[in-house]
Amino acid sequence: MTVSRALKNPAQVLPEARARVEAAVAELGYVPSHAARTLASSRSRVVGVLVPSLSNEVFVDTLAGIQDCLGPAGYQFLIGNTNYSADKQAELVSTYLTHAPDGFLVTGIDGSGAIRQRLSAARVPVVHMYDLSRTPDQWSVGFSQQRAGFTLTKYLLERGYRRPGFIAAQLDPRTMQRRAGFRRALREAGLDPDVEILTSEPSSVGLGSKLLARMLEHAPACDAVFCCNDDLALGALFECQRRGVLVPGQMAIAGFNDLPPSAWATPSLTTITTPRYQIGFEAARLLLQILDGHPPERNHIDLRFTLTPRESA
Amino acid sequence: MTVSRALKNPAQVLPEARARVEAAVAELGYVPSHAARTLASSRSRVVGVLVPSLSNEVFVDTLAGIQDCLGPAGYQFLIGNTNYSADKQAELVSTYLTHAPDGFLVTGIDGSGAIRQRLSAARVPVVHMYDLSRTPDQWSVGFSQQRAGFTLTKYLLERGYRRPGFIAAQLDPRTMQRRAGFRRALREAGLDPDVEILTSEPSSVGLGSKLLARMLEHAPACDAVFCCNDDLALGALFECQRRGVLVPGQMAIAGFNDLPPSAWATPSLTTITTPRYQIGFEAARLLLQILDGHPPERNHIDLRFTLTPRESA
DNA sequence: CTGAAAGCGCTTACAG
DNA sequence: CTGAAAGCGCTTACAG
């Protein structure tokens, strides 16, 4: 016990005893056992993190935020990539539950269904990231995807584009919320909201090129495209360059997320800047508060987005 | 004990007993305790993964390969981003050791020094990824960065470029090996190897633009740039477009890694295609073999690279 | 095929 | 401030 205390709470132990412990630790190369500690204390200091993708920087930034908040607090995390698949989610939740995590930080877990039940049966706090549309008994940190879509579309209309189209891939719930914002803006302006190319394929630069080509074919009058993320927008820009279509002269392009290349593309991409790092950091902070028994009063934290106008639209 | 057996090795238990166990599991929502199992069996089924960065897709792809190999085998991993920092490495190794991992999969851990000693004192097998230049007692999976740099430079020379420059960021050991290949090719051709812009800043598209500008200033005669990765190359391309410098007419651009955007850029980028997913998968497979007591004969696995000529050079 | 015993390395809670 | 006791939930190894 004295050893245990000397390691965790040195102040509780006489300097002499402490010194002997420290000497032994150094001599033996002692490494504490996480498993034993978890078993004895029933606190694992592990949190499970579930994200739908790592292939663009969106969730990598969020992970960095989580890391920076949870790391100094002595927490480890299990990072699971669900690849937007519900089966993979269920599988990861099951294996992670085995590790007795103190909490979960997730994106893309449905509010209902078997996974949700598993989670609440385990009595592990869950913070949802990127999605504010949660029931009051759930915790969430994010911004309004719908309003972001609306804001960007409004901007395009104000710039004088009369026939904007929407290009989207993956079609996860957040993308569909952006789309809802797009449609609402067009309807309010009395314009046709149905200029859209949607596919459930995973998003990528290459796909952006293909979808732009498809848009040109199906809606030749289209004068601006709102791509549901910057990868797609960059691909669309490349495709326009390939075809000699002037951007923004003949075709305006807007993206979403403000990934690093967007500021440097020629022309640079108009986009919505999202607080990706902050979402991770604040979600982690919220979880920490819950774990410490001091949950904040409001359980939905809106971190806002900003419109970033650049050259492409 | 019968319960334990029914769960792990159902065949060892009579169907009747098994059924009773299964019923109880379902009724109680039983979740096995990883901590207890680790403590009792002294096998954690956890492996520590250390990568220097997650901000481009290079290591994300590698992680996917690791996942696909280790996941089905029942292993979990702790993913640590060292951010190219030796201190962060040391810190992560220490905390991960606490979890008693069965093995480590790492990139960027020095062959010498304190970390290496910690690791070998812990008697945990370590597989090095992306770096073949290891002593015979170490395990590694990768390709020759030096030969890759040499091959790409040779290609530029064969295409008739007479004054190629080298643009690099981060300056980690792998980058410096590519540079060594570049210099060797130029020396063998009797050309000046010193046309280079190096910076230890982290690589990004924006930095590529800045470095290309710097190259134009310092070496106006430069007719081709070998960028040590595709992010930089893409930024360089954007900068050329911004300045009206024709690619490849006035300036050829080559990258490294063949990230997804490179095939779609206008013009598309000449690059070296690297087996990123395979490196993760094979490193994991190698580790599994070691853990199972069947290490392969050779401890360095060369997965090769390929030259991918496209429009930009 | 089943089960009783001991122990993995810690922490909790209590006694001194 | 220090320490003896008990237990966290499994597995190993041995007995029946």
Side-chain angles (χ1 to χ4, degrees):
Chain A
M1 256 329 295
T2 299
V3 173
S4 180
R5 271 189 284 256
L7 262 23
K8 309 228 71 99
N9 226 324
Q12 277 180 33
V13 154
L14 283 183
E16 189 215 344
R18 200 190 314 159
R20 286 206 296 149
V21 171
E22 279 162 9
V25 164
E27 189 186 331
L28 303 171
Y30 169 79
V31 174
S33 161
H34 170 84
R37 190 210 288 215
T38 297
L39 193 55
S41 69
S42 64
R43 270 204 112 188
S44 65
R45 298 247 162 209
V46 161
V47 345
V49 179
L50 261 34
V51 296
S53 161
L54 287 176
S55 60
N56 64 33
E57 291 204 37
V58 173
F59 293 104
V60 172
D61 290 343
T62 303
L63 250 28
I66 293 172
Q67 166 83 272
D68 287 350
C69 178
L70 249 35
Y75 282 81
Q76 225 52 53
F77 16 94
L78 295 166
I79 300 169
N81 182 346
T82 66
N83 255 306
Y84 294 96
S85 140
D87 286 354
K88 201 90 175 58
Q89 278 178 15
E91 189 191 316
L92 283 167
V93 167
S94 292
T95 36
Y96 283 10
L97 242 20
T98 265
H99 289 254
D102 292 342
F104 271 104
L105 258 23
V106 305
T107 293
I109 296 282
D110 235 29
S112 58
I115 298 179
R116 181 93 204 113
Q117 289 189 7
R118 272 291 222 0
L119 245 20
S120 61
R123 312 198 149 284
V124 183
V126 178
V127 176
H128 296 267
M129 303 182 288
Y130 282 93
D131 185 1
L132 258 21
S133 63
R134 290 279 152 189
T135 59
D137 62 312
Q138 298 181 324
W139 301 98
S140 72
V141 177
F143 60 89
S144 170
Q145 305 274 353
Q146 228 248 72
R147 263 195 292 138
F150 181 81
T151 300
L152 181 53
T153 310
K154 267 293 238 198
Y155 169 82
L156 292 177
L157 296 177
E158 278 160 17
R159 298 279 291 175
Y161 300 106
R162 271 9 262 174
R163 199 156 172 74
F166 187 72
I167 284 184
Q170 199 65 60
L171 308 187
D172 58 281
R174 278 142 278 125
T175 296
M176 293 317 260
Q177 288 162 20
R178 289 171 209 164
R179 176 184 176 232
F182 170 80
R183 296 177 69 88
R184 182 159 64 86
L186 287 197
R187 273 195 312 265
E188 286 186 9
L191 297 174
D192 177 11
D194 288 321
V195 186
E196 49 183 24
I197 304 285
L198 308 179
T199 172
S200 58
E201 285 177 65
S203 172
S204 70
V205 172
L207 187 61
S209 290
K210 290 181 208 154
L211 297 182
L212 190 279
R214 222 178 287 170
M215 177 65 87
L216 254 25
E217 199 175 311
H218 290 297
C222 171
D223 58 358
V225 286
F226 172 175
C227 299
C228 78
N229 75 49
D230 282 5
D231 283 343
L232 255 25
L234 192 59
L237 171 59
F238 287 148
E239 186 63 22
C240 286
Q241 292 177 340
R242 206 155 12 241
R243 294 169 174 245
V245 172
L246 252 63
V247 177
Q250 295 170 270
M251 174 65 82
I253 297 178
F256 200 99
N257 273 326
D258 195 9
L259 299 181
S262 302
W264 298 94
T266 310
S268 57
L269 293 174
T270 291
T271 191
I272 291 284
T273 303
T274 52
R276 304 185 293 275
Y277 176 91
Q278 283 304 318
I279 288 178
F281 194 94
E282 292 301 322
R285 205 156 69 90
L286 174 53
L287 182 60
L288 246 33
Q289 290 173 330
I290 298 169
L291 293 176
D292 290 345
H294 303 299
E297 302 208 348
R298 37 182 72 249
N299 44 8
H300 300 301
I301 300 178
D302 185 350
L303 255 24
R304 303 281 191 323
F305 56 85
T306 50
L307 173 67
T308 301
R310 288 199 276 242
E311 299 165 354
S312 71
Chain B
M1 257 328 294
T2 300
V3 172
S4 179
R5 272 189 284 255
L7 262 23
K8 310 228 71 102
N9 226 324
Q12 276 180 34
V13 155
L14 283 184
E16 190 215 344
R18 199 191 314 159
R20 286 207 295 151
V21 171
E22 279 161 7
V25 164
E27 190 185 329
L28 304 171
Y30 169 78
V31 174
S33 161
H34 170 83
R37 191 209 289 212
T38 297
L39 192 55
S41 69
S42 64
R43 269 204 113 189
S44 65
R45 298 245 161 212
V46 162
V47 346
V49 179
L50 262 33
V51 296
S53 161
L54 288 175
S55 62
N56 64 35
E57 291 204 37
V58 173
F59 293 104
V60 172
D61 290 344
T62 303
L63 250 28
I66 293 172
Q67 167 83 272
D68 287 352
C69 178
L70 249 36
Y75 282 82
Q76 225 55 52
F77 16 94
L78 294 167
I79 300 170
N81 182 346
T82 66
N83 256 305
Y84 293 96
S85 140
D87 286 354
K88 200 89 176 58
Q89 278 178 16
E91 189 192 317
L92 283 167
V93 166
S94 293
T95 37
Y96 283 10
L97 242 22
T98 264
H99 289 254
D102 292 342
F104 271 103
L105 257 22
V106 305
T107 293
I109 296 282
D110 235 29
S112 57
I115 299 180
R116 179 95 205 116
Q117 288 188 7
R118 273 289 223 1
L119 245 20
S120 61
R123 311 198 150 285
V124 183
V126 177
V127 176
H128 295 265
M129 303 182 288
Y130 283 93
D131 186 0
L132 256 22
S133 63
R134 291 280 151 188
T135 58
D137 62 313
Q138 299 181 325
W139 302 97
S140 72
V141 176
F143 59 89
S144 170
Q145 306 274 354
Q146 227 248 73
R147 263 195 293 136
F150 181 81
T151 300
L152 181 53
T153 310
K154 268 294 239 198
Y155 168 81
L156 292 176
L157 297 177
E158 277 161 16
R159 298 277 291 175
Y161 300 105
R162 268 15 261 174
R163 198 153 173 76
F166 187 71
I167 284 184
Q170 198 67 61
L171 308 187
D172 58 281
R174 278 143 277 123
T175 296
M176 294 316 261
Q177 288 162 19
R178 289 171 208 165
R179 174 183 176 233
F182 169 81
R183 296 177 70 87
R184 182 160 63 87
L186 287 199
R187 273 195 311 265
E188 286 186 9
L191 297 174
D192 176 11
D194 288 321
V195 186
E196 49 183 23
I197 304 285
L198 308 179
T199 172
S200 57
E201 285 177 64
S203 171
S204 70
V205 171
L207 187 60
S209 290
K210 290 180 211 155
L211 298 182
L212 190 279
R214 222 178 288 170
M215 178 65 88
L216 253 25
E217 198 176 313
H218 290 296
C222 170
D223 58 358
V225 286
F226 172 174
C227 299
C228 79
N229 75 48
D230 281 6
D231 282 344
L232 255 24
L234 192 58
L237 172 59
F238 287 147
E239 186 63 22
C240 285
Q241 292 178 340
R242 205 159 7 245
R243 295 171 173 245
V245 173
L246 251 62
V247 177
Q250 295 170 270
M251 174 66 82
I253 296 178
F256 200 98
N257 273 325
D258 195 9
L259 299 182
S262 302
W264 298 93
T266 309
S268 57
L269 293 174
T270 291
T271 191
I272 292 283
T273 303
T274 52
R276 304 185 292 276
Y277 177 91
Q278 284 304 320
I279 288 177
F281 194 94
E282 292 302 323
R285 204 157 71 90
L286 174 52
L287 182 60
L288 247 32
Q289 291 172 330
I290 298 168
L291 293 177
D292 291 346
H294 302 300
E297 302 209 348
R298 40 181 71 248
N299 44 7
H300 300 301
I301 300 179
D302 186 349
L303 255 25
R304 304 279 191 326
F305 56 85
T306 50
L307 173 67
T308 301
R310 288 201 276 242
E311 299 164 355
S312 70

